[in-house]
Amino acid sequence: MTEQQTQPEIPQSVIIPRSEHSISRAGISDNALKVLYRLKNAGYQAYLVGGGVRDLSLGREPKDFDVATDARPEDVKALFRNCRLIGRRFRLAHVHFGREIIEVATFRALHDGETSDNGDVHIEDGRVLRDNVYGTVEEDALRRDFTINSLYYNIADFSIVDFADGMADLRAGVLRLIGDPEARLREDAVRMLRAVRFAAKLGFRIHPETGDRIPEMASLLELIPQARLFDEVLKLFMSGHGVGSFELLRRYGLFRYLFPETDAVLETDGHDTWIRFISWALENTDNRVSEGKPVTPAFLFAALLWPAVRVRSGRYADERGLTPVQALQEAVSDVVDAQLSHVALPKRFSIPMREIFLLQPRLERHGGRRARRLLGHPRFRAAYDFLLLRARVEDAEQAVADTWTRLQESAESDDAGGRAPAATEGAARRPRGRRRRRSGGAPGQES
Ligand code: ATP
Ligand code: MG
């Protein structure tokens, strides 16, 4: 099914010369510059785009650098030995420099459903399913999501081309979708999550014309593949602005499409405890990110699902006469099964997450020789950190948590031949047995 799509009006593009903006080549990675220059010297247009230009203009360090060009993917590949073409929805060139990847995208156009006789663009219920029609730089700019993400730094003369009045919004701290907000959200509902993520990260406000549409369109997230939502959830909660993202997700009615069962608990009586619980967990994660420490999705998802697990296991214990441990096991299975139909969680994270849950009663029944053995469990540290978090909202006894703190300290000073015990806070410490390797070599972080 195809339907007519609202084309944004083409605004006048504005060229901001080098003397009137703050982006200097010193802020751009050498590898990104190499790519830009090689494209330009081969006769192509080459621009730095997206988050790189936005973050540099705000005096922030970009996460990565994206390049847009009129060179076709095959042309890009021919220019760079270290280039791979990737992508199913649209083809992109990845130029590899060790661990840094510069993404090079050919200008694309967003076309009318009506003009897609060639089958390149397919629009269903207003959603863009394939959009690999090449276009001009203007078209490329106007198919982007927010005005502030639509600034192009031109390597030919170091100017910034502003196609959608993005510079004014950048200065005013405003996130605004390009074109008709409703149509743009219908094309791709993930833009609602991106709005929240950028608002939390940059401290921007979402323009009301964009923001007012979000609660009424939030249910469109149900159409988004679970794996894509998993990626977005990680970006929302593991990029150092999780607390702000969580608040905004709830305010705009988005959280319930990501974690419906947890959201239902948060919306009922006595929800304060669980809001605080999740906020503490996210604050902990934000702090670790800002200190450059590793964080793991297993712990994050454990925290986001625990309120649901807790309420369900209480109900199972009452209604089915199960022991607390049996009730917990069944609640964990059912909550995880239900959750996976909304947001994917790869096994390498769901397995340790279940362990964190199921270790809770074992930690609470601590004592004697068994306690020592638990200290060596690969998930002990995460489960212990989780117990500390629970104790903070009185979901577990502080005295029990303290016992484990002391046990570890004495075990660690035994191990280390009397060295001072390590600090014990933190969300996702690496397992004790591996810690010594750190001094010797690769940090082996999870992301
Ligand atoms: P960051 O990398 O810091 O998360 P970013 O703005 O670079 O932020 P990316 O996901 O790397 O975000 O995307 C790069 C650019 O591609 C964006 O700035 C935007 O112009 C465009 N873009 C990304 N996702 C979408 C989308 N869903 N709809 C429209 N444009 C998008
Ligand atoms: Mg980016």
Side-chain angles (χ1 to χ4, degrees):
M1 184 176 63
T2 57
E3 71 184 37
Q4 188 77 31
Q5 200 192 333
T6 321
Q7 284 287 328
E9 266 176 48
I10 310 251
Q12 206 61 43
S13 67
V14 174
I15 294 174
I16 306 163
R18 173 64 191 98
S19 57
E20 287 169 33
H21 68 73
S22 62
I23 294 189
S24 87
R25 275 162 289 165
I28 304 171
S29 84
D30 290 345
N31 295 325
L33 286 173
K34 228 179 268 177
V35 171
L36 289 165
Y37 277 121
R38 191 168 308 172
L39 286 164
K40 176 183 107 76
N41 293 337
Y44 298 110
Q45 299 178 53
Y47 296 89
L48 188 69
V49 292
V53 187
R54 179 194 69 218
D55 291 351
L56 285 175
S57 302
L58 291 169
R60 291 165 165 267
E61 198 187 321
K63 208 177 69 197
D64 45 40
F65 293 95
D66 298 321
V67 168
T69 180
D70 58 350
R72 299 295 167 96
E74 318 76 70
D75 303 330
V76 178
K77 191 167 165 57
L79 279 179
F80 298 94
R81 228 175 353 101
N82 46 338
C83 175
R84 276 182 224 149
L85 301 188
I86 58 133
R88 279 167 297 161
R89 248 181 91 210
F90 35 80
R91 275 203 310 160
L92 294 169
H94 273 181
V95 188
H96 291 251
F97 298 90
R99 289 180 55 197
E100 191 181 11
I101 297 175
I102 307 298
E103 188 169 292
V104 184
T106 306
F107 299 144
R108 296 201 300 272
L110 191 67
H111 275 209
D112 237 344
E114 304 273 279
T115 62
S116 66
D117 298 344
N118 56 8
D120 281 338
V121 162
H122 182 62
I123 293 174
E124 195 174 291
D125 300 337
R127 275 188 300 155
V128 178
L129 298 182
R130 263 180 291 135
D131 56 348
N132 53 354
V133 175
Y134 298 125
T136 64
V137 60
E138 283 88 351
E139 288 170 321
D140 192 68
L142 298 177
R143 66 152 184 99
R144 289 176 186 271
D145 47 7
F146 300 99
T147 61
I148 62 166
N149 284 347
S150 181
L151 296 165
Y152 286 58
Y153 174 83
N154 187 352
I155 199 65
D157 61 4
F158 315 124
S159 65
I160 291 178
V161 194
D162 182 356
F163 292 96
D165 231 354
M167 201 48 103
D169 284 341
L170 202 61
R171 295 210 173 97
V174 172
L175 269 161
R176 186 199 313 256
L177 282 163
I178 299 172
D180 174 47
E182 187 176 328
R184 301 308 309 280
L185 296 181
R186 206 169 284 286
E187 276 169 20
D188 183 3
V190 167
R191 289 171 185 156
M192 296 187 274
L193 301 178
R194 290 174 59 86
V196 161
R197 175 156 67 87
F198 293 130
K201 166 175 158 169
L202 305 172
F204 277 29
R205 69 190 174 86
I206 301 174
H207 191 278
E209 278 177 21
T210 295
D212 290 351
R213 298 280 81 74
I214 294 181
E216 64 203 41
M217 300 186 76
S219 68
L220 291 176
L221 286 176
E222 288 176 341
L223 301 171
I224 304 295
Q226 292 92 332
R228 188 162 177 224
L229 290 183
F230 171 70
D231 292 342
E232 289 302 320
V233 164
L234 291 194
K235 289 186 202 163
L236 281 159
F237 293 124
M238 302 218 328
S239 308
H241 304 90
V243 174
S245 294
F246 176 57
E247 273 170 25
L248 289 173
L249 285 174
R250 294 192 59 238
R251 192 188 310 162
Y252 283 99
L254 295 165
F255 188 70
R256 72 186 175 109
Y257 292 100
L258 300 174
F259 295 90
E261 198 167 332
T262 301
D263 189 73
V265 174
L266 302 186
E267 294 301 317
T268 57
D269 289 345
H271 59 288
D272 278 14
T273 300
W274 294 123
I275 292 174
R276 273 190 296 128
F277 175 81
I278 291 176
S279 302
W280 285 125
L282 295 173
E283 194 178 312
N284 199 331
T285 307
D286 288 349
N287 290 337
R288 290 182 63 84
V289 171
S290 76
E291 292 163 15
K293 294 182 186 170
V295 290
T296 164
F299 192 90
L300 172 74
F301 275 76
L304 288 164
L305 293 175
W306 183 246
V309 167
R310 233 14 200 144
V311 168
R312 227 193 239 251
S313 68
R315 203 172 68 227
Y316 287 179
D318 292 346
E319 289 173 2
R320 303 186 189 173
L322 301 175
T323 67
V325 171
Q326 287 169 332
L328 177 68
Q329 282 169 344
E330 298 209 358
V332 166
S333 290
D334 293 350
V335 166
V336 174
D337 281 354
Q339 175 62 25
L340 291 178
S341 68
H342 301 278
V343 179
L345 182 63
K347 282 231 165 60
R348 66 182 185 282
F349 304 126
S350 66
I351 290 170
M353 178 186 74
R354 283 172 202 262
E355 289 178 323
I356 292 171
F357 289 146
L358 299 177
L359 277 167
Q360 296 305 307
R362 293 177 66 188
L363 291 178
E364 291 177 278
R365 275 185 283 121
H366 67 88
R369 267 187 300 132
R370 277 209 241 116
R372 279 273 172 167
R373 230 189 299 143
L374 263 190
L375 287 178
H377 191 288
R379 222 59 61 201
F380 170 79
R381 183 64 81 154
Y384 160 76
D385 286 328
F386 202 75
L387 182 71
L388 289 183
L389 206 57
R390 292 178 53 210
R392 266 176 109 157
V393 296
E394 291 168 25
D395 179 47
E397 284 182 39
Q398 188 61 48
V400 175
D402 292 342
T403 307
W404 283 106
T405 307
R406 282 195 301 276
L407 260 170
Q408 279 177 95
E409 283 170 358
S410 71
E412 284 189 6
S413 58
D414 289 354
D415 282 0
R419 262 194 289 130
T424 51
E425 65 184 86
R429 302 286 298 248
R430 67 196 61 234
R432 289 172 62 248
R434 269 204 270 146
R435 197 172 318 147
R436 268 186 217 116
R437 250 197 263 151
R438 204 192 258 167
S439 54
Q445 290 204 359
E446 263 183 319
S447 64

